[in-house]
Amino acid sequence: MWKKLKVSEPLITSLPKHANLMSILADHRCFAEWAFLNHSQLSFVPDAKGVGWLDFHKPHSRHHYRLTRTEYWSRETAMANRLDIVDFLTNAIDQDRYAYLMLDTYCIPAYKMNYQTYHIYHDCFIHGYDLRNKTFYASDFFNVSYGQESLPFEQVKSAFYSAHPMDDPFDGFTGVQLIRVNEAETFVYDRDYCIERLKDYAESRRTNDRFRFFEETYEALFGLAACEAQIDEIERNRSQDHALTCLKALHILYDHKRIMSFGVGYLLQNGHIRSPLLLREFSEIEKAAHGARQQYMKFLMTTDEQRKRQALDAHREILLLEKNVYPRLIAELG
């Protein structure tokens, strides 16, 4: 009558495309190597309106999770085949496949900020069902933070088949993905690759130029330069509409420091580096980034400009610390 596939607390929670997949990969034997080496770089990409977007470097995103196997169904194909999305999802879960799909949040009360207010499509992660209550178990940013909710079958059906016009701004993902953890796949630690990834961040190198087999080259800032650009943009922002985008960027900055602390812990535990001091320093950077993010959240609640300045000053101090600690980490690895 019910089935729930395993999910865990994800290492990255700032964006669903990272959080959802990380929530199912934590038990994979190669998770530590894969998570650290493929999420150590950040990019800052300006859009047509001049607004910059910070994220982990794009190729290691929704379409390139090596430790999974993914099947794609477009929304157009689903409609042309008169697919019953409820039956499709329950059958997929019975076959131990997680489902990832775009839903119109206007139709679902769990999306408290958009329900019957805004037609905004969002990527929702389905990992179980309950036939007794006719609900799916799902993960997403239903309110402000990442979490889980039970979504009624009929609401999911209405949200998937919503007649509201929808373009394709989601990296080509507007239908359904069925995802399985690929237990047989490996991702082996490589010292030279690790050093190159760390140098990419520390030296603000144009990482996308080396990933042309994944993506077109594009104008962006990377690494420390990406962080500096994002912090400057947050400082200049005077628009309340843009405030949540700025907060999301600070979530990403914190998640990046969290990944790096996790990764340096992995390096130390496995004998790739010998200095416990490096782990302490990266852990302190993570703690400082968390505090800075919390200060900015308080600024949004109180509009106290001093809290905003404190948050941004803290992040600038973090960048100075990183300019010192990354070369030492790279030298120890080499």
Side-chain angles (χ1 to χ4, degrees):
M1 295 294 287
W2 67 275
K3 183 171 183 177
K4 193 172 185 180
L5 302 179
K6 185 175 182 179
V7 293
S8 60
E9 181 67 25
L11 187 60
I12 292 176
T13 60
S14 47
L15 289 173
K17 64 182 178 180
H18 304 304
N20 291 330
L21 272 294
M22 283 203 162
S23 74
I24 69 173
L25 288 174
D27 291 337
H28 196 288
R29 67 188 187 284
C30 299
F31 173 75
E33 296 90 341
W34 173 83
F36 168 47
L37 293 177
N38 291 323
H39 295 84
S40 57
Q41 179 63 307
L42 293 173
S43 65
F44 178 89
V45 184
D47 64 15
K49 298 178 181 178
V51 175
W53 299 85
L54 188 73
D55 193 3
F56 291 90
H57 178 225
K58 184 177 177 180
H60 309 295
S61 180
R62 181 178 289 121
H63 289 295
H64 303 292
Y65 278 89
R66 178 170 158 180
L67 303 183
T68 66
R69 289 181 177 175
T70 305
E71 304 165 57
Y72 296 85
W73 274 63
S74 71
R75 197 162 169 270
E76 181 182 16
T77 299
M79 290 183 169
N81 286 274
R82 298 180 176 86
L83 181 71
D84 184 315
I85 192 63
V86 172
D87 285 346
F88 183 77
L89 293 175
T90 54
N91 289 335
I93 292 163
D94 282 338
Q95 295 177 313
D96 296 326
R97 287 165 168 81
Y98 299 82
Y100 206 3
L101 69 167
M102 284 289 175
L103 298 177
D104 185 351
T105 56
Y106 181 92
C107 305
I108 299 178
Y111 291 98
K112 301 176 181 64
M113 298 178 67
N114 298 336
Y115 177 57
Q116 294 190 341
T117 305
Y118 303 105
H119 287 279
I120 296 176
Y121 283 80
H122 209 258
D123 39 345
C124 187
F125 197 55
I126 306 281
H127 44 80
Y129 64 79
D130 183 344
L131 294 181
R132 296 165 299 186
N133 295 309
K134 296 184 178 180
T135 56
F136 288 113
Y137 299 111
S139 297
D140 200 355
F141 285 80
F142 293 104
N143 195 7
V144 176
S145 58
Y146 183 78
Q148 298 182 9
E149 292 281 354
S150 294
L151 307 182
F153 288 167
E154 288 304 314
Q155 292 177 11
V156 170
K157 182 181 289 188
S158 296
F160 183 74
Y161 292 117
S162 172
H164 189 268
M166 178 177 177
D167 57 8
D168 186 13
F170 303 108
D171 295 333
F173 168 35
T174 56
V176 181
Q177 292 182 5
L178 300 184
I179 301 167
R180 289 180 293 165
V181 177
N182 187 356
E183 300 290 355
E185 183 62 89
T186 60
F187 192 97
V188 179
Y189 170 79
D190 182 304
R191 183 188 67 118
D192 292 339
Y193 181 65
C194 181
I195 290 172
E196 285 303 302
R197 295 295 288 165
L198 295 173
K199 284 183 176 179
D200 276 359
Y201 179 82
E203 299 173 11
S204 303
R205 302 196 306 199
R206 286 182 57 89
T207 308
N208 62 338
D209 283 343
R210 291 192 287 105
F211 283 88
R212 292 184 183 180
F213 55 96
F214 273 143
E215 60 181 342
E216 294 295 325
T217 188
Y218 52 91
E219 289 303 314
L221 295 171
F222 292 89
L224 284 168
C227 297
E228 290 168 347
Q230 181 63 68
I231 291 168
D232 288 343
E233 178 160 301
I234 293 171
E235 184 172 48
R236 293 193 306 271
N237 173 52
R238 293 294 182 269
S239 167
Q240 189 64 30
D241 291 341
H242 193 39
L244 289 179
T245 301
C246 293
L247 178 60
K248 184 183 295 183
L250 290 176
H251 279 301
I252 291 167
L253 284 170
Y254 165 61
D255 270 349
H256 179 259
K257 312 317 169 195
R258 190 180 180 194
I259 280 281
M260 290 307 303
S261 179
F262 169 84
V264 173
Y266 162 83
L267 294 173
L268 183 64
Q269 183 177 359
N270 289 274
H272 302 304
I273 61 174
R274 296 184 178 180
S275 173
L277 177 61
L278 285 168
L279 177 57
R280 287 199 295 272
E281 289 179 280
F282 274 95
S283 296
E284 286 301 315
I285 288 171
E286 176 192 344
K287 186 185 298 183
H290 180 268
R293 185 192 68 178
Q294 297 305 105
Q295 286 280 47
Y296 191 80
M297 291 175 68
K298 291 177 182 176
F299 155 70
L300 293 181
M301 292 185 288
T302 64
T303 67
D304 182 351
E305 287 287 334
Q306 184 175 355
R307 290 192 181 277
K308 178 179 177 179
R309 286 194 299 272
Q310 289 172 340
L312 297 180
D313 287 346
H315 271 289
R316 290 195 176 93
E317 181 64 27
I318 287 168
L319 293 181
L320 290 175
L321 294 173
E322 288 186 327
K323 288 176 182 178
N324 174 270
V325 74
Y326 268 81
R328 289 166 40 223
L329 173 60
I330 292 167
E332 181 145 346
L333 284 166

